[in-house]
């Protein structure tokens, strides 16, 4: 029997507000046991001392514990990404799956291949592995394993890989006897994201290999489909692979594009054209089930030759600047603000750009 | 002999960097005496302790003092607006004017009406007037006077009015014996911007009148063409009126639109369509001589029903959030980041939205 | 049988880290059922979007739920105060009480009167009451009730009253039909703290009455013993009264002083002299069981005539500045950084100053 | 004829406000030509995008240009240090010198040795030298040269060396072909301060040598008298040496101490005891001509075993936290807020601590 994906973007009034997910479960549309992953765009600073991520996860676990065993709750990846700068709207994205028995003998609502996904959590990393090749290899293996679990055979059918990975703290660095990639917590977030992205690139055949020294430096090595965020609350990597598979059915599809810089609206427009051919500006909005992308400040200090100030601002982290700015760009094209814009795109797309993925519903009409 | 406008967007590497203006003067394209106003988008926080504005003005005065008398320098409005959040690029906009003698008997390069402008500085306000009707009336009179100076007769031909206005400090409030609109410096910036905008609305016939109590409260009273920013460095209001007049010639034109909310990309798209009919996404970029607009967080805490967090963020001012976000939106549509996005749009367009003006060059081609 | 107070300052590695309290309970020194209140100095910004407070409370409730009924957990006031600027150290303060049966027939370890406390939670306030006299009256009644519960008869024996009170949100303001003290969330925190403090002052006979209009304005009305912090997570006021009572025994004592400005080290030194007469600089540190105080930027913009910049800094809230600065001042005198310095001292001590309370252990030696 | 030092702490209302210095000159107490150095504690963030430093220097130059030749103005070191967190007060410190002809044959007002100082500006550094040994050697030579100019023979008579040094920008790194100590602007500030401090330590015989790799890493190498701050506005190092010399006269003296951590109040108290033996808490305040020190967050994340959060706060730079906190500590001891607390103490005192110098006036009485 084919599998069927359900993807729901749901609002939150704060990191502790899981009421929309509770209502989804109460309404019967999604059973708690159907949930395969939950992403959250929470309203912290997205940097080291962003407690909205941990608060959201603790709140999600409390909610799901009323429905599932502790083991089942622990098996659900919860990838929180902090930062809703500008007009971005805090939200959850619930990924659920059910057998297509609802179709009750009728033909599938839409011809396959449809959106498919699966998630894998790697073993806990040793602090000395964070931000280095060993981390990348663990992520590579997890991507390959998740592809198999999702029924995706060809790496070209993978359209997005969301990774949540650990960071280094002073305690962790000490536990490694100082044999760590960096002694800066903030910098370790970037190296961890970068090593994860290179792992995705390995799995998808985008690069052939990399060395420890490439992480954070060889900016020409990158994945077109990796989106990685780091957090203090885990030591392994949670990997969610999304793509298209003929073993899945239903109206949902996924496509991806790579933004070449922070104002690459044409890349996003091409995605929207795929979802809703011929739709006018903001016309594809209603078809969007979820839009996920990365944003970062270009290391050159310039965008198409014009100077930006994101890297010189000691009051606001460049990741906060980049999320708000790219968020505004995409909100203008889609007419929506519940966009999963994640900061820190090391080795995720070219310098200053980043990958974007659109999950869309072929049964939804155009925005009037 | 017809007047001819020159508008040049020029980069800066910091608030003290006037080298691009110096080069413009040295190259002979613009004489120092031709300059009628200089706007600057500087890289401070745009709030109370933004010293980039004063530093830029002091630097401009030092530059121009080598060419002009002290009186001539003092007569040039210098409207600095702090805040280049996200990928926005710090820049100067030089407004100059010369008689069209260059045309040497030939027909004007483009048929009138063309871009016209003029500026007026009001008397110094008393602290008790700031943020109140008296300020609005002073601005109203200055707008009418500037229209006449610019040769614009019909208020409908005014497309943008840039106002730089004062704010209240503890010292100024004390000097007024406490009879002031607010005792908060930050709040006084908003009230001053609002009172100025209502003055513009009066001059342009958009409203019929307003009371002290309307400032900052009656959000349904607004101007579609006012853009106001407050700064500590002056006590009067500097008013620059821009519009179309048959007495001016040359290839420059101006148009305006009102964004209904922070993601009103269609409003900006309509402006770009005016400048470059049929141009594809980002195709109108090369025709842009300058793009000026306002941005603000909606007081409702929502954008099209979705919650935003700009007003609840005690780490970053909502004006910074709004500039970066709206800046990203417009950068995506134009392919440019040297955009004059100014924060704090009280009574300047509807709540959460704001006016936008496009100065474009009809002789420039489309962006390839 | 006399009551005996136990007060323990315990470290936390983050708002979710309750392990030190768990160890205290596991070690048998304090039973979960003995806990009467928990204060927490958490590492958020202490302003509107400080989620460390809610995260800490959620974590505390999860811990205590393993030991106590839901009703018992709900009855324990948990007063989280955000902000550990500078070198301040995040910590919990557990207030517990047990009958002095441990004394097993022996004479009490120290002659009464000893530290006494009790807490009361008011009814939920209506949004229209927040920041107004109605809130103050509710707090006044709670203080009087808590005095009785603590066995403190004379208001002069009350040395500190910690209040956690609600703030206004857009939703709450709407629920009140707009009849609210302010429409600014941040400002509502100050008005709520102020109204609570005036309520304490009423209960302790420090003022005779006040009107709605006095809140946030009549800065000459203040309590010498109120410490109030506002948070989004409650609608009532949690009131913890601390003082001296002959019905309590044990080695703990409490004293208070009022700082006249942000550098009133002599006021703190006098407290330390009370706890440890003749001790040298930092010598009283080991006797400190807990030190609680308020800090704020003076509204005049000056400290002893010299300008400060706390109110003009749009990058960092003045409450963050004040906590770090006053925290440094007290840390220098005590040699400790686990100080409960809380920001926003409206009507809590004179403008720019604030109350301070010292709980000390008469059986502890001096810091070597 | 003996030389006589004049040191004056003067307030500023903003970085452009040089009126107090203008008044000092106008009053005849100090002639513009007597000024040997001007230090400024300005109200920016003290980090990369702190424009208050450059604005202050531009304003000082404009003031002095009315009195002195361009060459004379250029020869005066102007060491601006950003950051007046907490209650610290923005101020100038003017160092002037005159021959003691005022003494008109009478005996010197106080017996030598008295405060002595001199300044030297090094050659411009090549970007590849910044943050490395070459910078340290240039500073070492400048210190030795300045000692000679000040008439200080014994390194033990040097009590403070204030250094202003350059930082790396993307442009400068590119000019060096990438051969730079770091590619992070913010990090380059720390390495530049550190290399300068090690240069001071070399000159004073505190260390015997150091390698490039020691800068920013070998925290056990440090100077007890170096205070270094980095800024974008210069490429050389401005070095001001202060000490005691028998060739100078007058009532001013200088002493120094090393704070072992951020709450080392006893170290400051010992300095105050030197200036005003037996004075009570805050009693020495009136004798203070200037107090200069460094502050930083300890790299261990702890102060006397208790966790601090300065290094994990992505909203506020740790240097801002440290200045406000240490500023509060010293303000409590002195009763003054016009303290020159400078952030970033790499190799300037032990980790988490820093040097402090007190210039005091032996003819002033005690604070009543």
């Amino acid at each position: 029997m084919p599998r069927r994906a359900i993807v729901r973007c749901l609002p939150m009034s704060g990191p502790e507000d899981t009421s929309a997910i509770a209502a989804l479960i109460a309404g019967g549309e999604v059973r708690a046991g159907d949930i395969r992953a939950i992403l959250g765009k929470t309203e912290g600073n997205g940097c080291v001392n962003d407690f909205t991520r941990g608060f959201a996860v603790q709140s999600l676990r409390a909610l799901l514990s009323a429905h599932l065993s502790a083991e089942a709750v622990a098996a659900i990846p919860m990838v929180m990404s902090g930062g809703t700068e500008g007009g971005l709207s805090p939200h959850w994205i619930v990924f659920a799956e059910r057998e297509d028995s609802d179709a009750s003998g009728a033909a599938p609502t839409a011809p396959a291949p449809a959106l498919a996904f699966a998630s894998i959590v790697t073993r806990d990393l040793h602090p000395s592995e964070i931000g280095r090749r060993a981390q990348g290899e663990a992520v590579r293996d997890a991507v390959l394993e998740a592809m198999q679990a999702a029924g995706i055979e060809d790496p070209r059918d993978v359209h997005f890989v969301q990774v949540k990975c650990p960071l280094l703290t002073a305690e962790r660095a000490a536990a490694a006897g100082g044999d760590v990639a960096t002694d800066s917590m903030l910098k370790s977030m970037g190296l961890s994201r970068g090593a994860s992205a290179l792992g995705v690139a390995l799995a998808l055949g985008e690069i052939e290999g990399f060395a420890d020294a490439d992480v954070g430096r060889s900016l020409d090595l990158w994945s077109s489909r990796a989106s990685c965020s780091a957090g203090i609350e885990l030591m392994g990597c949670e990997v969610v692979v999304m793509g298209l598979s003929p073993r899945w059915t239903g109206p949902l599809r996924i496509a991806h594009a790579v933004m070449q810089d922070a104002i690459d609206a044409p890349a996003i427009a091409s995605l929207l054209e795929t979802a809703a051919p011929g739709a006018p500006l903001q016309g594809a909005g209603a078809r969007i089930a979820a839009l996920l992308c990365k944003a970062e400040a270009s290391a050159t200090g310039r965008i198409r030759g014009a100077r930006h100030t994101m890297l010189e601002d000691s009051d606001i982290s460049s990741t906060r600047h980049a999320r708000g700015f790219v968020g505004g760009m995409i909100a203008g094209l889609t007419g929506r603000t519940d966009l999963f814009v994640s900061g820190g795109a090391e080795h995720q797309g070219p310098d200053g750009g980043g990958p974007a993925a659109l999950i869309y519903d072929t049964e939804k009409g155009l925005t009037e």
Side-chain angles (χ1 to χ4, degrees), chain A:
Chain A
M1 206 168 330
R3 299 155 77 180
R4 184 187 184 93
I6 302 173
V7 174
R8 293 293 305 271
C9 253
L10 298 169
M12 68 173 96
S13 66
E16 79 293 352
D17 175 24
T18 59
S19 60
I21 302 176
L24 187 72
I25 295 172
E29 182 180 338
V30 167
R31 288 168 300 205
D34 297 336
I35 296 174
R36 294 291 170 270
I38 302 179
L39 273 59
K41 196 93 214 53
T42 60
E43 60 204 281
N45 62 24
C47 300
V48 174
N49 63 328
D50 181 348
F51 296 100
T52 62
R53 295 182 303 235
F55 195 12
V57 166
Q58 192 179 79
S59 301
L60 284 173
R61 289 196 175 139
L63 169 70
L64 295 178
S65 293
H67 301 278
L68 300 173
S69 70
E71 296 72 35
V73 172
I76 300 175
M78 297 174 181
V79 182
M80 303 298 113
S81 165
T84 55
E85 290 79 10
L88 290 175
S89 193
H91 63 285
W92 310 104
I93 311 180
V94 176
F95 287 82
E97 167 190 353
R98 47 171 69 181
E99 293 193 345
D100 202 18
S101 58
D102 303 335
S104 59
T109 27
L115 174 66
F117 49 73
S119 62
I120 294 290
V121 180
T122 71
R123 65 176 168 83
D124 280 1
L125 299 178
H126 189 265
S128 67
E129 295 178 315
I130 293 176
R132 290 174 169 166
R133 197 174 60 145
Q135 178 178 353
E137 290 172 349
V139 169
R140 176 199 60 196
D141 294 346
V143 170
L144 294 174
E145 194 178 345
M147 284 174 60
Q148 194 163 21
I152 303 174
E153 284 171 20
D154 190 331
R156 289 172 295 184
D157 288 332
V158 172
H159 287 275
F160 214 60
V161 181
Q162 183 72 38
V163 181
K164 181 61 173 289
C165 49
L167 53 80
L168 285 169
T169 61
E171 284 79 11
R172 292 170 187 175
D179 174 22
V180 286
T182 176
D183 50 8
S184 153
M185 283 184 72
L186 193 56
K187 195 170 178 190
S188 80
M189 296 179 77
L191 295 179
S192 181
R193 288 188 297 251
S196 294
L198 290 171
V200 174
L202 277 179
L204 302 185
E206 298 180 296
I207 62 172
E208 296 195 353
F210 71 95
D212 285 355
D214 289 321
V215 182
R217 290 180 170 267
S218 303
L219 300 183
D220 52 319
L221 300 178
W222 47 268
S223 170
S224 61
R225 286 158 280 173
S227 168
C228 310
S229 64
I232 200 172
E233 62 272 25
L234 77 180
M235 280 303 290
C237 296
E238 298 182 341
V239 175
V240 184
V241 168
M242 310 175 200
L244 291 171
S245 167
R247 301 188 194 167
W248 292 59
T249 186
L252 296 181
R253 301 288 179 275
I254 185 170
H256 80 276
V258 175
M259 295 180 285
Q260 297 300 316
D261 60 22
I263 60 174
D264 192 357
I268 302 299
S270 75
L271 272 184
L272 298 171
E273 176 69 16
T274 299
L281 185 60
Q282 298 190 349
R287 286 218 170 147
I288 298 175
L291 194 154
L292 306 98
C293 73
K294 293 299 293 190
E296 71 174 357
S298 63
T300 60
R302 298 194 172 260
I303 298 174
R304 300 189 191 177
R307 174 174 171 252
H308 69 72
T309 61
M310 293 186 270
L311 297 175
E312 294 156 35
D313 188 340
S314 303
D315 298 310
I316 301 180
S317 161
S318 67
T319 53
R320 302 202 72 177
H321 276 294
R323 274 190 299 265
F325 189 70
V326 172
M329 190 262 279
I330 301 181
L333 299 176
T334 59
R336 295 179 61 149
T337 57
D338 52 349
L339 307 166
F340 195 86
V341 183
S342 171
E346 301 85 354
H347 301 295
Q348 301 151 65
D351 176 45
L358 177 66
I359 300 175
Y360 57 99
D361 188 329
T362 53
E363 292 182 347
K364 291 281 174 63
L366 300 186
T367 305
E368 71 283 0

